[in-house]
Amino acid sequence: GNSVTQMEGPVTLSEEAFLTINCTYTATGYPSLFWYVQYPGEGLQLLLKATKADDKGSNKGFEATYRKETTSFHLEKGSVQVSDSAVYFCALNYGGSQGNLIFGKGTKLSVKP
Amino acid sequence: EAQVTQNPRYLITVTGKKLTVTCSQNMNHEYMSWYRQDPGLGLRQIYYSMNVEVTDKGDVPEGYKVSRKEKRNFPLILESPSPNQTSLYFCASRNAGYTEAFFGQGTRLTVV
């Protein structure tokens, strides 16, 4: 079946550190891939997306590349800020009739000054 | 502004007292879904709808009902809430196809 696996958290980093959050997926066909961010007390917001193999999504200094050969969509940022503290969710849409997105369990990131 | 609006944001209720959480979207999206978010379990889909009058169960539908009488609205109904339905609930909508979902701000429900 279709699934998303992302690294367990929590992740704690110092400001300006490099961030990687791993995400791998299992899906039939050619899904679209997403990273969502949830700031404390808020709903999920789309951070970036990629719709086909080798696409790179980017936003707010975050990047992720759709790697079909390794079925991965790892999230990276070169220099994190305290304001990046949030929960990050990897998700896929395989276009099925059920209409839902498949989410990973989320990774909580805390950035210390 | 494109948005998904849920109400209420916070709700404390007692076991067995029927409640409804409303959800409305202004983007003319076909698909709407309800999720619950619990610590360590991530997001789990409760119900979804592919269009007006078309709804189906998600992964955790027990104890919930939904309806889709209009394209913009997708209320979540708890006929007889129980403490294990204490959770953070999100409504989401999206277009058909390989598209992203747009989420509401969430409803934190406590059943005592």
Side-chain angles (χ1 to χ4, degrees), chain A residues 30-32 34 36 38 41-46 49 51 87 89 93-106, chain B residues 9-10 31 33 35 37 40-43 45 48 50 57-59 88 90 94-95 97-106:
Chain A
Y30 302 92
S32 293
F34 310 95
Y36 281 84
Q38 183 181 28
E42 298 186 12
L44 278 74
Q45 304 173 26
L46 181 68
K49 67 179 180 181
T51 58
V87 181
F89 292 90
N93 179 350
Y94 61 95
S97 59
Q98 190 171 358
N100 63 322
L101 269 64
I102 308 293
F103 285 89
K105 291 194 173 180
Chain B
R9 290 290 309 277
Y10 302 91
Y31 286 83
S33 298
Y35 295 85
Q37 184 180 19
L41 298 177
L43 286 161
Q45 191 187 50
Y48 65 96
M50 289 184 281
K57 296 176 181 178
D59 301 316
L88 180 57
F90 288 102
R94 67 177 184 87
N95 277 319
Y98 294 79
T99 57
E100 68 269 28
F102 293 78
F103 282 80
Q105 289 291 89

Side-chain angles (χ1 to χ4, degrees), chain A:
Chain A
N2 300 291
S3 66
V4 173
T5 302
Q6 63 181 103
M7 63 186 284
E8 298 280 331
V11 174
T12 303
L13 296 174
S14 298
E15 206 164 24
E16 299 184 2
F18 184 86
L19 169 71
T20 300
I21 301 178
N22 290 337
C23 171
T24 58
Y25 68 89
T26 303
T28 53
Y30 302 92
S32 293
L33 300 173
F34 310 95
W35 277 101
Y36 281 84
V37 59
Q38 183 181 28
Y39 298 105
E42 298 186 12
L44 278 74
Q45 304 173 26
L46 181 68
L47 179 59
L48 53 83
K49 67 179 180 181
T51 58
K52 60 183 187 295
D54 299 325
D55 267 2
K56 177 185 283 189
S58 61
N59 186 25
K60 299 181 180 180
F62 291 89
E63 293 183 338
T65 302
Y66 188 160
R67 302 283 190 203
K68 189 162 177 61
E69 64 276 12
T70 55
T71 62
S72 65
F73 193 55
H74 304 322
L75 182 68
E76 297 181 336
K77 186 175 186 182
S79 175
V80 293
Q81 305 300 311
V82 172
S83 57
D84 293 326
S85 298
V87 181
Y88 293 83
F89 292 90
C90 184
L92 70 81
N93 179 350
Y94 61 95
S97 59
Q98 190 171 358
N100 63 322
L101 269 64
I102 308 293
F103 285 89
K105 291 194 173 180
T107 303
K108 184 176 182 179
L109 170 66
S110 296
V111 180
K112 307 297 185 188

Side-chain angles (χ1 to χ4, degrees), chain B residues 6-67:
Chain B
Q6 291 178 231
N7 280 296
R9 290 290 309 277
Y10 302 91
L11 180 59
I12 301 174
T13 190
V14 297
T15 299
K17 186 176 182 182
K18 181 179 178 180
L19 67 90
T20 299
V21 184
T22 63
C23 173
S24 181
Q25 51 96 3
N26 62 1
M27 295 167 279
N28 202 38
H29 286 165
E30 290 92 345
Y31 286 83
M32 297 187 75
S33 298
W34 277 102
Y35 295 85
R36 61 179 289 175
Q37 184 180 19
D38 301 289
L41 298 177
L43 286 161
R44 294 180 292 168
Q45 191 187 50
I46 303 169
Y47 267 94
Y48 65 96
S49 169
M50 289 184 281
N51 215 320
V52 175
E53 303 291 3
V54 181
T55 64
D56 208 346
K57 296 176 181 178
D59 301 316
V60 288
E62 294 76 20
Y64 304 95
K65 285 175 54 177
V66 294
S67 68

